[in-house]
């Protein structure tokens, strides 16, 4: 019998999303836990993929991505944020946001480097930093508004700080950074070599006329940032696992040294289809309205319940505080909700290292009308 080597991630189990999805399936519950749409993507996009497959574009793409797609990405960023990235040398197409995040951390974080993350945090940041010997420093944002106290955050900075990871709009809280947040960040990193990994996979899902303030809008931040996005979120195709990293050439050159051995290149026909599809800006500019209607439908449906609906400024997640309904911890509450009321959610404590329990759960509203209707009906019985 061989002796297993020590686990490199001894504290890591299966993600909460897989756990809740499994519980939902076992209990035939409506799955509002994992962040994926339960409706079909646009058939025009599906036809385009089919077209390029049949045309014979089925072999390796260039390592950094198909130029037609990179050009469309550069155009989108320029139109949205007046920021320029050179398509060929500053944009890399990746196998989803997750691979871009992994590669960015693998590229720059070395042993004992400190990386600041904001909690509640998406689950892949911390283990990836640890895998490369980095040390995670956490700043906890708390219910109900998840504001960042930048004076307190500043205390986490040290001479070993290598990277700050931002997630804007934030999953799970739905919080969107404001001008003041970005200005505070500019002051904090000024004169340092700190890099910023800006996870903006929900960039086009911002509500109530608010603007998404991308890191790339600010030259002082853009020049030290890796901007990460996901077509899975943009075009309702999370299963295609395709996204990108936009970063100044000096950072992109390093990023690609790892990218080429991590994945080398990404699905050719899908890249070509996305490039064609992106030519019509309405395909992504209409996303805010599309998801705002879903958010409002869910909120309206739950308004008479005892849940407290926290502000959802962006993303496709609505947070509910349930302390008027139960004093159970959020994990237990989410479990009971799935088993007894047939609605699966994600407990917020799973987004905090120290399992901060503020009696909040997350619901994904990227779902068909009828799915949301059923969920509202079940939740209204509580
Ligand atoms: C905040 C955040 N970042 C990154 C990702 C990963 O994106 P992808 O599915 O393209 O890998 C997700 C997916 O849910 C996410 O919510």
């Amino acid at each position: 019998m061989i002796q297993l080597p020590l686990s490199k991630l001894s504290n890591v189990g299966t993600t909460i999303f897989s756990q809740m999805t499994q519980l939902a399936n076992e209990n035939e519950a409506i799955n509002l836990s994992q962040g994926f749409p339960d409706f079909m993507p646009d058939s025009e996009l599906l036809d385009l993929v089919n077209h390029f497959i049949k045309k014979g574009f089925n072999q390796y793409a260039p390592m950094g991505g198909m130029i037609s797609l990179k050009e469309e990405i550069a155009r989108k960023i320029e139109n949205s944020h007046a920021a320029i990235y050179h398509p060929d040398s500053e944009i890399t197409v990746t196998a989803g946001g997750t691979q871009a995040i992994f590669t960015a951390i693998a590229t720059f974080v070395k042993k004992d480097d400190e990386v600041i993350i904001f909690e509640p945090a998406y689950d892949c940041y911390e283990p990836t930093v640890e895998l490369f010997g980095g040390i995670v420093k956490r700043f906890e944002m708390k219910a109900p508004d998840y504001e960042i106290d930048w004076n307190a955050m500043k205390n986490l900075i040290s001479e070993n700080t290598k990277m700050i990871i931002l997630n804007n709009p934030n999953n799970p809280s739905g919080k969107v950074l404001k001008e003041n947040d970005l200005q505070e960040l500019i002051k904090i990193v000024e004169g340092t070599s700190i890099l910023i990994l800006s996870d903006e996979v929900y960039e086009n899902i911002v509500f109530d006329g608010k603007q998404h303030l991308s890191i790339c809008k600010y030259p002082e931040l853009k020049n030290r940032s890796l901007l990460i996005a996901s077509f899975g979120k943009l075009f309702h195709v999370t299963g295609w696992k395709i996204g990108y990293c936009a970063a100044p050439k000096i950072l992109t050159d390093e990023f690609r040294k790892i990218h080429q051995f991590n994945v080398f290149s990404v699905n050719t026909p899908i890249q070509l289809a996305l490039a064609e599809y992106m030519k019509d800006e309405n395909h992504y500019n209409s996303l805010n309205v599309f998801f705002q209607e879903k958010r409002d439908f869910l909120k309206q449906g739950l308004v008479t319940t005892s849940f407290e609906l926290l502000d959802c400024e962006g993303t496709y997640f609505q947070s509910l505080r349930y302390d008027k309904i139960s004093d159970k911890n959020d994990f237990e509450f989410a479990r009971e909700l799935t088993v007894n009321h047939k609605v699966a959610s994600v407990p917020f404590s799973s987004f905090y290292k120290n399992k901060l329990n503020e009696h909040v759960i997350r619901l994904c509203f990227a779902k068909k009308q009828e799915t949301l209707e059923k969920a509202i009906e079940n939740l209204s019985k509580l």
Side-chain angles (χ1 to χ4, degrees), residues 17 34-36 94-101 121-125 166-172 199-202 228-233 237-244 315-317 351 362:
F17 311 111
Q34 217 170 345
F36 63 86
T94 61
T98 311
Q99 186 242 312
I101 293 163
Y122 186 60
D123 64 347
C124 74
Y125 308 144
L166 290 181
N167 174 211
N168 177 34
N170 176 262
N171 170 14
D199 176 349
E200 302 185 16
V201 301
Y202 299 102
I228 283 160
S230 166
F231 290 110
K233 306 294 177 183
V237 289
T238 60
W240 290 6
K241 294 302 289 186
I242 181 161
Y244 59 89
T315 74
Y316 43 52
F317 303 109
F351 298 95
R362 185 197 84 172

Side-chain angles (χ1 to χ4, degrees), residues 79-178:
N79 289 346
S80 311
H81 310 296
I84 309 275
Y85 287 96
H86 189 279
D88 213 23
S89 58
E90 300 191 311
I91 291 172
T92 309
V93 180
T94 61
T98 311
Q99 186 242 312
I101 293 163
F102 188 94
T103 302
I105 293 171
T107 305
F108 294 107
V109 175
K110 298 198 197 76
K111 188 164 169 355
D112 296 335
D113 281 343
E114 293 177 4
V115 176
I116 297 175
I117 67 171
F118 294 88
E119 292 185 332
Y122 186 60
D123 64 347
C124 74
Y125 308 144
E126 169 144 2
T128 311
V129 170
E130 285 184 350
L131 201 54
F132 293 95
I135 298 164
V136 175
K137 299 276 168 180
R138 296 172 201 86
F139 182 87
E140 280 184 353
M141 304 182 290
K142 293 190 178 163
D145 54 19
Y146 301 94
E147 288 295 328
I148 300 170
D149 174 348
W150 290 98
N151 270 329
M153 183 276 177
K154 229 174 12 198
N155 293 332
L156 295 180
I157 303 276
S158 81
E159 58 185 15
N160 296 326
T161 307
K162 173 57 73 70
M163 182 182 270
I164 296 174
I165 302 183
L166 290 181
N167 174 211
N168 177 34
N170 176 262
N171 170 14
S173 70
K175 186 193 154 56
V176 166
L177 292 182
K178 306 191 176 49

Side-chain angles (χ1 to χ4, degrees), residues 122-370:
Y122 186 60
D123 64 347
C124 74
Y125 308 144
E126 169 144 2
T128 311
V129 170
E130 285 184 350
L131 201 54
F132 293 95
I135 298 164
V136 175
K137 299 276 168 180
R138 296 172 201 86
F139 182 87
E140 280 184 353
M141 304 182 290
K142 293 190 178 163
D145 54 19
Y146 301 94
E147 288 295 328
I148 300 170
D149 174 348
W150 290 98
N151 270 329
M153 183 276 177
K154 229 174 12 198
N155 293 332
L156 295 180
I157 303 276
S158 81
E159 58 185 15
N160 296 326
T161 307
K162 173 57 73 70
M163 182 182 270
I164 296 174
I165 302 183
L166 290 181
N167 174 211
N168 177 34
N170 176 262
N171 170 14
S173 70
K175 186 193 154 56
V176 166
L177 292 182
K178 306 191 176 49
E179 182 64 33
N180 173 57
D181 294 310
L182 278 307
Q183 292 303 334
E184 291 294 334
L185 182 62
I186 289 173
K187 282 192 241 157
I188 285 175
V189 296
E190 197 182 355
T192 74
S193 300
I194 296 172
L195 299 172
I196 297 171
L197 189 168
S198 190
D199 176 349
E200 302 185 16
V201 301
Y202 299 102
E203 57 181 338
N204 279 80
I205 315 179
V206 174
F207 306 128
D208 304 316
K210 293 200 174 90
Q211 231 210 322
H212 168 60
L213 299 178
S214 174
I215 203 85
C216 68
K217 235 175 99 82
Y218 304 85
E220 312 90 315
L221 298 176
K222 176 179 183 273
N223 66 13
R224 59 174 77 231
S225 293
L226 299 117
L227 163 58
I228 283 160
S230 166
F231 290 110
K233 306 294 177 183
L234 195 63
F235 294 136
H236 320 307
V237 289
T238 60
W240 290 6
K241 294 302 289 186
I242 181 161
Y244 59 89
C245 172
K249 181 173 185 313
I250 172 177
L251 300 181
T252 295
D253 285 348
E254 290 303 311
F255 179 94
R256 288 190 185 165
K257 287 183 190 172
I258 309 289
H259 175 77
Q260 66 184 334
F261 298 123
N262 183 356
V263 62
F264 183 67
S265 70
V266 175
N267 194 314
T268 306
I270 288 186
Q271 289 196 53
L272 292 168
L274 287 170
E276 201 54 37
Y277 191 68
M278 283 179 82
K279 288 186 179 151
D280 181 351
E281 292 167 22
N282 287 325
H283 287 146
Y284 47 83
N285 284 340
S286 56
L287 215 59
N288 294 356
V289 174
F290 177 79
F291 279 120
Q292 186 165 325
E293 276 174 19
K294 293 198 178 290
R295 180 202 64 172
D296 290 348
F297 181 76
L298 180 65
K299 281 179 92 164
Q300 195 53 39
L302 295 177
V303 86
T304 56
T305 67
S306 298
F307 286 110
E308 182 191 349
L309 296 148
L310 303 186
D311 232 16
C312 167
E313 302 174 313
T315 74
Y316 43 52
F317 303 109
Q318 174 66 52
S319 319
L320 306 183
R321 190 146 63 173
Y322 62 84
D323 50 0
K324 295 205 188 79
I325 300 175
S326 166
D327 54 11
K328 296 235 158 75
N329 72 45
D330 60 357
F331 197 85
E332 191 49 33
F333 183 77
R335 207 189 65 78
E336 284 188 11
L337 205 60
T338 313
V339 176
N340 301 337
H341 298 276
K342 307 291 176 211
V343 178
S345 59
V346 177
F348 252 58
S349 62
S350 54
F351 298 95
Y352 293 91
K353 174 78 171 178
N354 74 2
K355 303 290 168 230
L356 178 70
N357 170 36
E358 296 190 290
H359 299 105
V360 181
I361 55 168
R362 185 197 84 172
L363 297 182
C364 172
F365 55 77
K367 305 291 170 189
K368 289 190 277 226
Q369 181 83 358
E370 70 224 52

